[in-house]
Amino acid sequence: MPFDSIDESCIQNQHKIKFLMHWFYRNAALIFQLTQKDDEIKHPTLTAVPPVSVHLYDSAQKHVMSVPPDLHQQYLQTCQNLSQPENHFVAHVLQEADKGDNSRQTKGITLKIAGNNRLVPVQRVTDEDVQVLASVLCSAVFVTGLDLRYNNLTDVGVRHIATFLQENSTLRYLNLMFNDIGTSGAELIANALHSNETLLHLRMTGNKIGNKGGMYFASMLQVNCTLEKLDLGDCDVEETTVRIALMLKNNSSLVELHLCKHEIKSLGVERLCEALYENCSLRYLDLSCNKITRDDVKFLGELLKQNQTLEILDLNSNRIEDDGAIYLSEALALYNRTLKALSVVSNKISGKGLVALSQAMKINVELSYIYIWGNNFDEAACMAFSELIQADRLKPNCTDVEPYEVDGHVHLAELSHGLKKHYYWTPSYGEVKNAAANASLAITAVSEYF
């Protein structure tokens, strides 16, 4: 092909972007020569071009990537090339993304292709759909987040996602929660993250990866030093807590870890706490919906006396009872000054334990968020938390109860507040990032994606 015959339309036709980059790579040295010694080169040919330096190739790549691709058109073209039918929901999301302003090039965007979106007609994403999508996103460097929750992805489709993760260097957020991913898919994702150095936040919640799948992720975290937030909740994982604890001793990047519904008992709590004496990065620990009892909380109480990094502790739906609440109260009142939020929702706590927690809040001014609904409120507990709220020690937006009075007696009503009320679903009205309903967003910057 003659040098001067390169059609500028190659730059505009985004589906030819790889061809253009390859051509630029092969000919960057010649271009450089032409700009410097135009009078010496009269009839250049492509066959005599010397190898190009990495520096020149990087410059060429940046120039080509400065032109934002048309995601919708690329998607339609790729569907045609792979003989795949168009997914109208995916096409709609990409079309909306194309309408964004030029700031997406610098700030990045998250493609929200959630199968549980109730605001628009949804056609859930399949393995075939994700093959097309992964191909399209290869050149979309401004896409930094991908939300594929509640779709129909299996281990077959995850193979395309894993390949994409190995080749991609811009994606920072990946949400795969509640698909049909199993042990093989977990292995593929975990192996891809051995080499990926950019993904910061991964949600695998609700995929039945089993104990073996949990082991793959525990092993990955001993190698990966980039991932900051990981959710392995409700994954049919029961025996990997000890292995995850071993990982926490050496991992210095993870700041948020969700282990909801892991069947964690005494040994698991003990091993986690032992690891967290050495870990200096974890700020958000979610142990909700496990089998943690009052005796197990002793380990957490001792940990809180020394730990100086943990800011959010979620013990929702365990069984710590009054004794467990008292263990926590002692640590929070006399020792710990870093924990900012505690959830003990539905833990069989009665008045004695709740009053102890309220007293700890009076002493420890750093503890600002506390969630207690679902326990056994007697009049003493109601009065204690009513006084905290009326004295402005506990802000109404920082708890899930509100006092009211009937016939001279104080009671507590439930508020729709919590650490992550919108973690699993998107409200059909109101603010998605409501600070009172999703307090973990306000407390620290470790949960920026919803």
Side-chain angles (χ1 to χ4, degrees):
M1 182 194 302
F3 172 78
D4 57 357
S5 68
I6 292 298
D7 189 351
E8 291 185 358
S9 65
C10 290
I11 299 177
Q12 304 300 323
N13 296 332
Q14 294 300 324
H15 64 276
K16 295 182 179 178
I17 193 166
K18 289 185 178 180
F19 163 79
L20 183 57
M21 288 175 60
H22 179 69
W23 182 90
F24 212 120
Y25 172 82
R26 293 288 304 274
N27 296 282
L30 182 57
I31 295 170
F32 179 79
Q33 292 175 24
L34 284 174
T35 57
Q36 299 298 315
K37 301 181 179 181
D38 184 63
D39 57 324
E40 297 178 9
I41 304 177
K42 302 300 183 181
H43 302 289
T45 62
L46 299 184
T47 55
V49 178
V52 68
S53 70
V54 173
H55 174 73
L56 285 173
Y57 174 67
D58 287 343
S59 300
Q61 186 180 29
K62 289 178 182 178
H63 172 74
V64 174
M65 286 305 180
S66 66
V67 182
D70 186 329
L71 294 178
H72 182 241
Q73 288 301 318
Q74 266 196 323
Y75 175 72
L76 297 179
Q77 183 64 52
T78 306
C79 284
Q80 183 177 347
N81 293 344
L82 296 177
S83 300
Q84 294 288 352
E86 172 190 348
N87 182 309
H88 298 293
F89 180 45
V90 174
H92 168 76
V93 172
L94 297 181
Q95 197 167 26
E96 291 299 309
D98 286 334
K99 296 178 182 178
D101 55 34
N102 292 332
S103 66
R104 66 179 185 169
Q105 289 293 100
T106 54
K107 296 180 179 179
I109 63 170
T110 295
L111 295 179
K112 296 184 178 182
I113 317 178
N116 66 336
N117 190 328
R118 294 175 293 176
L119 304 180
V120 295
V122 168
Q123 179 183 349
R124 295 201 171 187
V125 177
T126 65
D127 295 332
E128 292 76 17
D129 296 327
V130 85
Q131 178 185 8
V132 178
L133 186 62
S135 177
V136 171
L137 295 183
C138 284
S139 59
V141 296
F142 58 88
V143 175
T144 56
L146 182 59
D147 183 351
L148 289 169
R149 73 180 101 177
Y150 292 97
N151 281 294
N152 296 325
L153 302 181
T154 70
D155 294 345
V156 175
V158 166
R159 186 173 298 278
H160 302 297
I161 294 176
T163 301
F164 172 69
L165 286 174
Q166 289 175 320
E167 299 173 351
N168 180 271
S169 61
T170 57
L171 197 72
R172 282 159 174 71
Y173 168 64
L174 178 60
N175 190 341
L176 297 174
M177 65 196 298
F178 290 98
N179 278 278
D180 295 317
I181 302 169
T183 302
S184 298
E187 182 180 14
L188 289 167
I189 295 291
N191 286 343
L193 292 180
H194 277 256
S195 56
N196 182 286
E197 297 181 349
T198 53
L199 193 72
L200 302 177
H201 190 169
L202 174 64
R203 288 192 195 173
M204 292 293 294
T205 330
N207 291 289
K208 307 309 178 184
I209 64 176
N211 292 328
K212 196 171 182 180
M215 291 293 189
Y216 289 132
F217 280 103
S219 299
M220 174 274 294
L221 288 169
Q222 292 181 312
V223 177
N224 183 291
C225 58
T226 308
L227 197 69
E228 296 180 359
K229 310 151 198 177
L230 176 64
D231 189 341
L232 294 177
D234 196 12
C235 287
D236 278 3
V237 176
E238 299 179 7
E239 302 171 3
T240 61
T241 310
V242 173
R243 183 69 178 269
I244 290 173
L246 288 173
M247 169 278 301
L248 284 174
K249 287 186 177 182
N250 301 314
N251 185 286
S252 60
S253 63
L254 209 63
V255 297
E256 177 176 338
L257 179 62
H258 296 265
L259 299 176
C260 169
K261 294 186 180 180
H262 268 232
E263 300 286 326
I264 297 175
K265 300 175 185 176
S266 183
L267 180 62
V269 177
E270 183 178 8
R271 293 292 183 265
L272 279 173
C273 290
E274 288 175 357
L276 290 174
Y277 283 110
E278 300 181 34
N279 181 284
C280 297
S281 64
L282 198 71
R283 289 186 280 158
Y284 184 173
L285 179 60
D286 176 8
L287 299 177
S288 60
C289 302
N290 281 291
K291 295 185 176 181
I292 300 172
T293 67
R294 61 186 181 182
D295 295 327
D296 306 334
V297 174
K298 289 181 182 179
F299 300 116
L300 287 167
E302 291 302 314
L303 172 68
L304 289 175
K305 291 179 182 179
Q306 298 185 41
N307 182 279
Q308 296 182 5
T309 55
L310 207 59
E311 297 180 2
I312 305 174
L313 178 60
D314 189 349
L315 294 173
N316 170 27
S317 299
N318 283 284
R319 192 166 182 162
I320 72 171
E321 302 178 281
D322 284 343
D323 288 346
I326 292 170
Y327 293 140
L328 293 175
S329 300
E330 178 186 350
L332 292 170
L334 302 178
Y335 301 94
N336 186 281
R337 290 297 181 270
T338 53
L339 197 75
K340 298 178 181 179
L342 173 66
S343 176
V344 290
V345 171
S346 300
N347 263 276
K348 302 287 185 181
I349 307 171
S350 62
K352 183 180 178 182
L354 293 169
V355 169
L357 288 170
S358 71
Q359 293 298 322
M361 287 204 72
K362 289 181 179 180
I363 299 171
N364 184 345
V365 295
E366 297 300 323
L367 183 62
S368 303
Y369 300 78
I370 190 165
Y371 304 95
I372 61 170
W373 185 257
N375 292 296
N376 304 317
F377 301 124
D378 61 10
E379 190 163 1
C382 294
M383 284 294 297
F385 276 89
S386 176
E387 289 172 2
L388 284 175
I389 294 171
Q390 290 176 358
D392 205 32
R393 170 60 191 89
L394 180 58
K395 305 289 185 184
N397 287 343
C398 298
T399 186
D400 57 350
V401 294
E402 181 179 44
Y404 67 97
E405 188 173 328
V406 176
D407 295 333
H409 297 281
V410 176
H411 302 273
L412 296 176
E414 182 185 15
L415 295 175
S416 187
H417 297 168
L419 290 174
K420 48 175 187 173
K421 283 287 185 178
H422 298 156
Y423 195 75
Y424 298 102
W425 56 280
T426 302
S428 55
Y429 60 90
E431 296 180 44
V432 175
K433 293 187 178 180
N434 182 292
N438 305 295
S440 60
L441 293 172
I443 298 168
T444 62
V446 299
S447 300
E448 61 184 291
Y449 293 102
F450 265 91

